[in-house]
Amino acid sequence: MLELARESDWEDVNRLSVQIHDLHAAWRPDIYYHHDAPYPKEVFLRDIQNRMVYVAKLGGVVVGYTVLAILRKGGPGTHEKKCLRLDSICVEELLRGQGIGKAMMEDVLALASAFGCTELILGVHPENEDALSFYQKCGFQIRTINMDRKL
């Protein structure tokens, strides 16, 4: 389902990124605020150049996107590994629950394997119960919990 994004996909991808960003702004207004371009075009173009942004289309229309990053992890006392980090994944709000996200995730897993990665990692806000449930259905497990304290 996923294909490499093209420059002409930016407006659709940005529209979807606003949907996700506004959810974050609702959950954490102390961090996020509404922004008309939370995925700036110059960043999008860089991600295209690095072959790390993909789109899902139905009938030629962008209905989802994902942004990926390859990380190498390891250090003293830990095993070296190559991971694929899922920075963003989004399905058009009106089309959620129809299997598009599942198909996208299957493609992301295939990409991780093709890139020689041994792990797929992501972060999710605890308020995003729908995403947490989706990721758990896709086989993800909670490994760490990040915490903060306002000063």
Side-chain angles (χ1 to χ4, degrees):
M1 164 157 263
L2 290 177
E3 59 185 67
L4 279 168
R6 293 184 219 132
E7 185 174 346
S8 59
D9 295 325
W10 180 76
E11 286 187 23
D12 288 331
V13 169
N14 185 64
R15 179 181 50 76
L16 294 174
S17 74
V18 168
Q19 290 179 6
I20 295 301
H21 188 82
D22 284 351
L23 286 175
H24 289 94
W27 295 318
R28 292 296 306 262
D30 57 317
I31 299 172
Y32 303 98
Y33 58 89
H34 173 79
H35 196 280
D36 291 332
Y39 192 7
K41 190 167 187 176
E42 60 273 9
V43 176
F44 177 77
L45 294 175
R46 181 203 65 210
D47 289 344
I48 286 175
Q49 203 168 39
N50 292 330
R51 304 177 59 84
M52 289 288 111
V53 60
Y54 294 81
V55 293
K57 294 182 178 182
L58 290 178
V61 176
V62 174
V63 295
Y65 78 96
T66 187
V67 181
L68 309 171
I70 294 176
L71 305 175
R72 297 192 185 278
K73 297 176 93 181
T78 63
H79 297 284
E80 295 284 327
K81 59 184 169 180
K82 185 177 178 183
C83 303
L84 186 65
R85 183 179 67 213
L86 182 60
D87 282 338
S88 299
I89 188 168
C90 177
V91 172
E92 170 67 54
E93 190 173 26
L94 297 174
L95 298 175
R96 292 179 192 155
Q98 297 181 25
I100 296 168
K102 183 176 185 225
M104 290 172 63
M105 190 63 79
E106 289 171 1
D107 285 358
V108 169
L109 289 166
L111 285 168
S113 184
F115 294 150
C117 298
T118 58
E119 191 172 60
L120 178 59
I121 59 175
L122 59 83
V124 61
H125 283 276
E127 298 89 352
N128 196 345
E129 294 174 3
D130 291 340
L132 279 166
S133 174
F134 171 71
Y135 296 139
Q136 289 171 332
K137 287 177 187 172
C138 290
F140 288 85
Q141 298 175 347
I142 296 172
R143 300 285 174 140
T144 61
I145 297 174
N146 294 322
M147 300 174 72
D148 63 23
R149 178 180 170 176
K150 293 180 187 144
L151 302 176

